[in-house]
Amino acid sequence: MRFLIVMLAYLGAMGLARADTLAVDTGRGVRAWTTTELLSRPDARDIRVPGDVSYHATRTYRAVPMKALLPGVPADAHLQFTARDGFAAEIPASLIIDGHGAHAWLAVEPDGAAWPPLGAGKPSAGPFYLVWIDPDKGPVGPEQWPYQIATIKVLPDPAKRFPAMRPDPRLGADAAPVRGFAVFQRHCMTCHTLNGQGDAKLGPDLNIPHSPTEYLRADMFRTLVRNPQNLRRWPQSKMPGFDTHVLSDRDLDDLEAYLKHMAGRKVQP
């Protein structure tokens, strides 16, 4: 009898350890969704995702429409998807609520049926992974496929939350540094802080103590962005390359203009 009690306690503990939960904060309270609850929703379905960004292959998932988990969230809101490792993806709610043909789904890893690992010695993309169907219609960048999601929060615009990131307010809306700030928000602040501000924890600050535009020639800066391994060979590097399908040449020009501009607006954290 004692052995049976111990085994039941052990199995119960194992079950509790595997009870993955996603916290969704829409600004009107937090809703915690368990794996079982999400997979039991009537709108859950099997979807086929060609060209999965994380697995580099066509994958099939059981998933829920992401916008269905965001009732009442306005299209002009900003969503922060925070992963277990600290990766924080900032995605405009408009891209999910009205993606102009790009459809966001929350893929849910079933209990007892783990997805493949993302690489040798790495875990899977589960338990919760934001995937897209027809991402090119968004367009949706590779950094907007966050995986191992732990929380989703509705937050104010990054420009309001992080004033030290903003370019000079005297610049016009179509000035290159202003356009570059928008590029930075889409592609860089998921991993990098600037002037010590931001929620990312993976990459270095892009202005303190120095902006990369201060120590890299223009051609080397572009190499770093397009293919980091062509600049520095580092097997542990997590920085992806941004080809012209994800980041146009004009966007890259604007990003460089923003970083050069901010090099003259350093704020010590």
Side-chain angles (χ1 to χ4, degrees):
M1 176 63 74
R2 181 177 179 183
F3 174 78
L4 179 60
I5 292 173
V6 170
M7 284 301 297
L8 288 174
Y10 172 78
L11 292 173
M14 289 294 290
L16 288 173
R18 185 63 184 88
D20 293 307
T21 303
L22 173 70
V24 181
D25 183 355
T26 61
R28 293 180 296 277
V30 179
R31 172 66 157 95
W33 291 95
T34 66
T35 299
T36 301
E37 289 173 327
L38 288 167
L39 293 174
S40 300
R41 285 176 57 100
D43 53 359
R45 54 174 284 194
D46 292 330
I47 62 168
R48 183 175 178 272
V49 181
D52 185 293
V53 163
S54 300
Y55 285 105
H56 309 290
T58 296
R59 297 275 302 156
T60 299
Y61 299 101
R62 190 71 176 173
V64 175
M66 187 64 244
K67 65 182 179 182
L69 301 180
L70 303 170
V73 173
D76 61 354
H78 282 253
L79 302 172
Q80 184 184 75
F81 293 74
T82 303
R84 292 176 169 182
D85 65 359
F87 180 90
E90 296 265 349
I91 301 177
S94 59
L95 191 59
I96 291 173
I97 294 170
D98 181 10
H100 305 289
H103 299 283
W105 291 80
L106 183 73
V108 181
E109 186 178 47
D111 292 343
W115 298 331
L118 292 166
K122 296 182 179 181
S124 76
F128 309 107
Y129 174 27
L130 186 69
V131 301
W132 297 83
I133 295 176
D134 295 324
D136 292 345
K137 295 179 180 178
V140 177
E143 71 285 354
Q144 292 171 324
W145 295 63
Y147 54 78
Q148 296 178 7
I149 301 169
T151 63
I152 302 172
K153 293 182 181 179
V154 176
L155 295 174
D157 186 303
K160 295 179 181 177
R161 286 165 29 223
F162 309 122
M165 287 185 179
R166 294 199 300 256
D168 191 325
R170 293 170 294 182
L171 293 175
D174 197 45
V178 176
R179 296 196 306 266
F181 181 38
V183 176
F184 176 85
Q185 290 178 68
R186 289 198 306 273
H187 298 292
C188 305
M189 67 181 296
T190 53
C191 297
H192 299 278
T193 55
L194 191 137
N195 280 340
Q197 292 195 340
D199 295 315
K201 298 179 176 64
L202 296 183
D205 192 279
L206 292 186
N207 208 36
I208 302 297
H210 296 291
S211 164
T213 61
E214 293 179 286
Y215 56 81
L216 290 175
R217 298 194 319 250
D219 59 329
M220 290 294 97
F221 172 74
R222 299 179 83 85
T223 297
L224 173 66
V225 175
R226 292 296 188 206
N227 191 339
Q229 294 293 321
N230 282 350
L231 182 68
R232 289 189 287 255
R233 292 294 175 90
W234 183 31
Q236 285 75 38
S237 174
K238 294 184 178 182
M239 181 174 174
F242 296 85
D243 63 24
T244 54
H245 292 95
V246 175
L247 189 70
S248 70
D249 285 335
R250 183 186 180 186
D251 283 347
L252 184 49
D253 289 342
D254 291 340
L255 176 62
E256 184 178 12
Y258 167 69
L259 293 176
K260 285 182 176 179
H261 173 74
M262 295 307 294
R265 291 173 60 83
K266 293 184 188 295
V267 178
Q268 294 294 336

